[in-house]
Amino acid sequence: MSVVLAQPPALAPLLARGALLSPFKRPRPDADFPHDRLVLPALRIDLAHLAAYERVCGFATGEDALPPTYPHVLGFPLAMRLMSDRGFPLPLLGLVHTSIEITRRRALPATGEYELAVYVGGLEPHRRGTEATVITEMRAGEELVWESRSTYLARHRTRSAGETPRGEREALPEVAEWRLAADIGRRYGAASGDRNPIHLHPLTARLFGFPRAIAHGMWTVARCLAAHGAPQRVRVRAEFRAPVLLPGTVTYAARDGRFELLGNGGRLHVSGVVDDLTTGGR
């Protein structure tokens, strides 16, 4: 069922509700979940908010164009309304973003008017718990111009035998070294609205098993795309392999349509692929 909203929901009450309900959630892949499709019509971009996002992620500012990751931020309040709902089976606190696939079908003017829709695509078992897929769509008139599929993991005990072996990967040439400040999670949280406590402070991160605060997955992929660049018609796929602890130092590596973010000892944090849809893609 489609539910049309007059304005984006306020994030603070949703995050508070999600936090209060989290201890009572019992995640499992066969659980029921909300099937509503939340729709936000006639959306206009707040250009000051966009500029703050571009600065913290490293994108150029002042252009009449949305970065490929920005619609995810616009859809975030709708996703939070779904994931903080009493009927959503995964606890909001400690939920980890594990992957995203973005398809931008054409240039998106920052001065345009859009319709956003967000819904839960389903639940799947994961070796570390249960994973939910959240789908976000952006339309200009009747045209689907942008869409994404994000997966979010709730960690809990499973019967999995352990880590799935990964094949050998070709090393990418190192391009830059980035020193990440301790407050990058708070700065990105202010720009995006994602104030999950695992990103904000060492004390709150430790409550969920992390030794220090960790960077947002969407900040890491946005920062990589700001460095890599993306054509107007593009598909981006990124996996968040290991948390990036804050503060810290990471290495950005890239070649052709691939990029990675690496930590100490070559530990892989983020891997991604950028496909140019103007050269044979759909």
Side-chain angles (χ1 to χ4, degrees):
M1 179 180 71
S2 291
V3 177
V4 179
L5 306 179
Q7 59 188 10
L11 276 169
L14 296 178
L15 293 170
R17 181 177 69 177
L20 290 172
L21 291 174
S22 287
F24 304 101
K25 298 296 182 76
R26 298 294 179 265
R28 65 182 197 277
D30 60 345
D32 196 14
F33 56 88
H35 294 273
D36 289 340
R37 183 175 182 269
L38 302 184
V39 179
L40 186 63
L43 176 68
R44 289 282 186 176
I45 308 302
D46 181 329
L47 298 182
H49 182 272
L50 171 62
Y53 174 86
E54 290 170 331
R55 283 192 295 269
V56 75
C57 295
F59 291 108
T61 60
E63 299 180 359
D64 186 18
L66 300 183
T69 49
Y70 190 68
H72 173 87
V73 173
L74 298 176
F76 184 71
L78 282 68
M80 285 301 98
R81 174 164 162 172
L82 291 171
M83 292 194 286
S84 66
D85 188 87
R86 186 179 299 274
F88 186 73
L90 308 189
L92 190 61
L93 285 183
L95 206 61
V96 178
H97 198 178
T98 51
S99 75
I100 188 166
E101 178 175 304
I102 293 170
T103 303
R104 183 172 66 183
R105 300 183 183 280
R106 66 167 174 81
L108 305 176
T111 52
E113 182 177 280
Y114 302 99
E115 176 189 277
L116 273 177
V118 179
Y119 58 97
V120 179
L123 303 177
E124 295 288 342
H126 186 279
R127 65 184 182 277
R128 292 182 177 174
T130 298
E131 208 167 51
T133 299
V134 178
I135 298 171
T136 303
E137 299 172 342
M138 175 183 275
R139 285 178 166 78
E142 298 297 320
E143 181 188 3
L144 179 64
V145 294
W146 184 99
E147 59 188 313
S148 73
R149 298 178 65 89
S150 282
T151 56
Y152 295 90
L153 173 65
R155 298 188 297 178
H156 59 84
R157 288 186 177 182
T158 69
R159 297 180 179 178
S160 170
E163 295 287 337
T164 301
R166 296 186 185 275
E168 292 292 326
R169 75 179 200 280
E170 179 187 2
L172 300 179
E174 297 180 0
V175 177
E177 183 178 88
W178 298 333
R179 297 181 184 275
L180 309 184
D183 68 345
I184 195 68
R186 294 188 290 276
R187 290 169 53 207
Y188 181 81
S192 68
D194 184 353
R195 291 183 171 89
N196 188 322
I198 63 177
H199 304 301
L200 303 181
H201 193 277
L203 292 178
T204 53
R206 286 181 197 134
L207 296 174
F208 302 96
F210 298 101
R212 303 198 299 275
I214 65 173
H216 294 72
M218 283 307 298
W219 179 84
T220 61
V221 72
R223 184 67 187 87
C224 288
L225 284 174
H228 186 282
Q232 298 295 350
R233 297 185 64 240
V234 67
R235 179 174 294 114
V236 178
R237 290 168 297 208
E239 292 187 14
F240 309 115
R241 302 291 189 91
V244 175
L245 297 176
L246 300 173
T249 300
V250 293
T251 299
Y252 166 68
R255 181 167 55 207
D256 301 327
R258 294 174 54 208
F259 64 84
E260 293 178 343
L261 204 60
L262 305 167
N264 292 334
R267 187 185 191 194
L268 181 61
H269 292 294
V270 180
S271 64
V273 178
V274 179
D275 291 326
D276 187 346
L277 298 184
T278 64
T279 58
R282 290 185 295 172

